[in-house]
Amino acid sequence: MRLIAENLGGERGGDAVFSGIGFALEQCQALIVTGPNGSGKSTLLRIIAGLLPAAEGSVRIEGVMKVEDGGEAFPSVASACHYLGHQNAMKPALSVAENLRFWRDFNGDGQLGVEEALETVGLGGIGHLPFGYLSTGQRRRAAIARLLVSHRPLWLLDEPTAGLDKAAEARFAGLMARHCADGGMIVAATHLPLGIEGMELRMGEAG
Amino acid sequence: MLALFLRDIRLNIRAGGGALTGVIFFLAVIVTIPFGVGPDLKLLARIGPAILWIGALLSCLLGLDRLFQADREDGSLDLLVLGNDRQMLALTVLVKCLAHWAGSVLPLVIAAPLLGLFMNMEPLGIGATALTLLVGTPAITFIGAAGAAVAVALPRGGLLISVLVLPLTIPVLIFGVSASYGATANPDPFLQPFLILAALTLFLGVLGPVSAALALRHGTD
């Protein structure tokens, strides 16, 4: 399965922020999108997810998952991706476990249950707390746990490590490496080193 | 889908207190009417169904702006839109509407008979008005969803939604009130306007969520 972007251009409020972006991402690969603020990293991710229309060019997903992963075919990029944006998509009034259980029911089951996913991101034992009581880093970790409770081959991560401490960053790097090793794909926009191997796409430079 | 319904109901109960706000506003509208109209019991009884309907309509519009805005602010809306291939977005919107109705509007319908007493209405009239409200208010929520989806990106969209939605709810109001009158005033029919009201709810139950889904898909930024 491949994620292919051809000659992508994006605009914000009518002004082009980038153009001519192209890449082909194979299974087990990661693409790290870097660049200064305002270079269009988030816009690129939202265009890939299909949340924003591309000003030019196209993104598509080809092929099926390997047979050992179930041989699943995805009709569109949106159906194949997890999108982790700036916001955590969690309700402060519900407990962490309730939030995750909802996304698991809505998005479909993954390999991990809610409790195991929370253990994996280091939030074991606090699933009963309302999400609103958590600190910034803990909220981000709970949002990362959402990636684990349902299975998607493609992870679109927008500044995934914002607010995480060193240990949590390292743990998250391990999670990303494991996802790639299982045949997944990652597109991450960041300006911090993420600690995983991958192609680099620099935005905001001539060409 | 059941998970989404339960989540929205839970949020409604725990966080906003939207149900209580609506009921109190409804109460305030109905209670002030007799002071304005004067203590003419016959007149009050005659305008009772119309006043109950107008009060319920305005209270329905009160909480509509939060229908999608809360989800947009915390990023959930993006994920609901992305889930379109698995869970059709129009269906997601329909479920959100039903949860909103059950959480915020159903209490109004339950409170309506009590408020009918303030208007000196007879039991049959109260029953008919409550029944028409039960059947008619989902239509208001469905139209409101389309308005809420259009105005989701606006920070103070509440008033705009009301202005957008109010003209479209007029048919619901007309048939709701005429059915309520039909139950008590003898020559007027009850069944025909009531059936048209039910048809309006069913029709808008399709049109509202579909147009709201369209607006949401093109409104992400």
Side-chain angles (χ1 to χ4, degrees):
Chain A
M1 140 177 260
R2 285 148 58 86
L3 176 73
I4 299 162
E6 280 169 349
N7 192 31
L8 265 188
E11 54 179 36
R12 267 303 210 202
D15 291 337
V17 283
F18 59 83
S19 62
I21 298 278
F23 58 84
L25 196 62
E26 300 277 348
Q27 259 178 294
C28 311
Q29 280 186 330
L31 178 73
I32 316 290
V33 183
T34 58
N37 293 0
S39 58
K41 301 189 293 289
S42 299
T43 309
L44 176 66
L45 285 189
R46 292 183 73 83
I47 287 176
I48 294 174
L51 289 167
L52 280 179
E56 55 184 18
S58 64
V59 190
R60 62 182 192 278
I61 198 149
E62 272 184 358
V64 287
M65 288 284 291
K66 283 185 290 187
V67 183
E68 57 263 38
D69 298 324
E72 206 177 343
F74 294 95
S76 67
V77 180
S79 65
C81 78
H82 263 313
Y83 175 74
L84 179 65
H86 293 286
Q87 285 115 1
N88 295 319
M90 298 275 177
K91 295 289 177 193
L94 299 182
S95 76
V96 180
E98 278 173 331
N99 270 303
L100 286 175
R101 215 171 294 128
F102 163 69
W103 285 118
R104 183 182 163 89
D105 289 342
F106 188 81
N107 284 332
D109 290 353
Q111 297 98 326
L112 291 183
V114 169
E115 283 305 318
E116 293 137 303
L118 282 174
E119 293 283 345
T120 314
V121 295
L123 290 180
I126 66 161
H128 62 282
L129 283 181
F131 182 74
Y133 288 8
L134 303 189
S135 74
T136 310
Q138 287 176 318
R139 288 176 191 213
R140 201 59 177 162
R141 284 197 255 167
I144 288 167
R146 174 171 62 78
L147 306 178
L148 305 173
V149 292
S150 328
H151 175 70
R152 293 285 190 280
L154 173 63
W155 286 5
L156 299 175
L157 310 171
D158 197 351
E159 301 287 358
T161 54
L164 294 184
D165 59 23
K166 275 274 175 293
E169 268 179 38
R171 196 184 287 127
F172 182 51
L175 283 176
M176 288 193 289
R178 178 142 39 102
H179 177 68
C180 279
D182 287 346
M185 297 182 282
I186 293 175
V187 179
T190 183
H191 45 237
L192 302 166
L194 285 180
I196 53 167
E197 296 289 314
M199 302 185 287
E200 195 177 329
L201 176 68
R202 280 201 64 82
M203 315 240 335
E205 289 173 354
Chain B
M1 280 297 144
L2 183 68
L4 181 64
F5 184 79
L6 290 178
R7 178 189 81 144
D8 276 20
I9 291 273
R10 249 189 225 131
L11 282 174
N12 209 323
I13 294 168
R14 272 187 220 171
L20 205 61
T21 330
V23 170
I24 289 172
F25 181 75
F26 192 21
L27 178 76
V29 171
I30 301 300
V31 167
T32 39
I33 296 289
F35 290 107
V37 173
D40 183 347
L41 288 179
K42 276 217 183 69
L43 179 66
L44 281 180
R46 201 158 60 79
I47 60 172
I51 299 296
L52 277 186
W53 254 94
I54 292 172
L57 174 64
L58 294 180
S59 318
C60 277
L61 297 178
L62 203 62
L64 272 178
D65 55 326
R66 298 304 293 166
L67 186 56
F68 299 116
Q69 219 167 43
D71 275 338
R72 182 177 189 275
E73 275 160 15
D74 64 18
S76 307
L77 188 63
D78 287 340
L79 301 180
L80 297 180
V81 173
L82 281 181
N84 191 26
D85 284 313
R86 280 185 180 71
Q87 325 266 10
M88 204 171 65
L89 187 56
L91 209 60
T92 308
V93 173
L94 178 72
V95 170
K96 279 190 77 70
C97 286
L98 291 177
H100 175 82
W101 182 81
S104 305
V105 184
L106 195 58
L108 301 178
V109 179
I110 294 168
L114 184 68
L115 299 179
L117 291 177
F118 293 166
M119 303 299 294
N120 188 35
M121 289 161 68
E122 49 186 297
L124 182 63
I126 290 178
T129 309
L131 185 64
T132 50
L133 280 175
L134 183 69
V135 172
T137 43
I140 299 171
T141 308
F142 293 139
I143 306 174
V150 170
V152 67
L154 303 173
R156 290 258 179 274
L159 184 65
L160 178 68
I161 294 171
S162 302
V163 172
L164 278 178
V165 165
L166 207 52
L168 301 172
T169 56
I170 296 296
V172 182
L173 180 69
I174 289 174
F175 287 107
V177 172
S178 56
S180 312
Y181 277 127
T184 46
N186 214 6
D188 298 346
F190 169 74
L191 200 58
Q192 285 88 332
F194 183 75
L195 288 180
I196 293 182
L197 186 68
L200 271 176
T201 298
L202 293 175
F203 174 67
L204 291 169
V206 177
L207 193 68
V210 167
S211 50
L214 209 63
L216 286 178
R217 197 153 336 127
H218 292 279
T220 52
D221 58 354

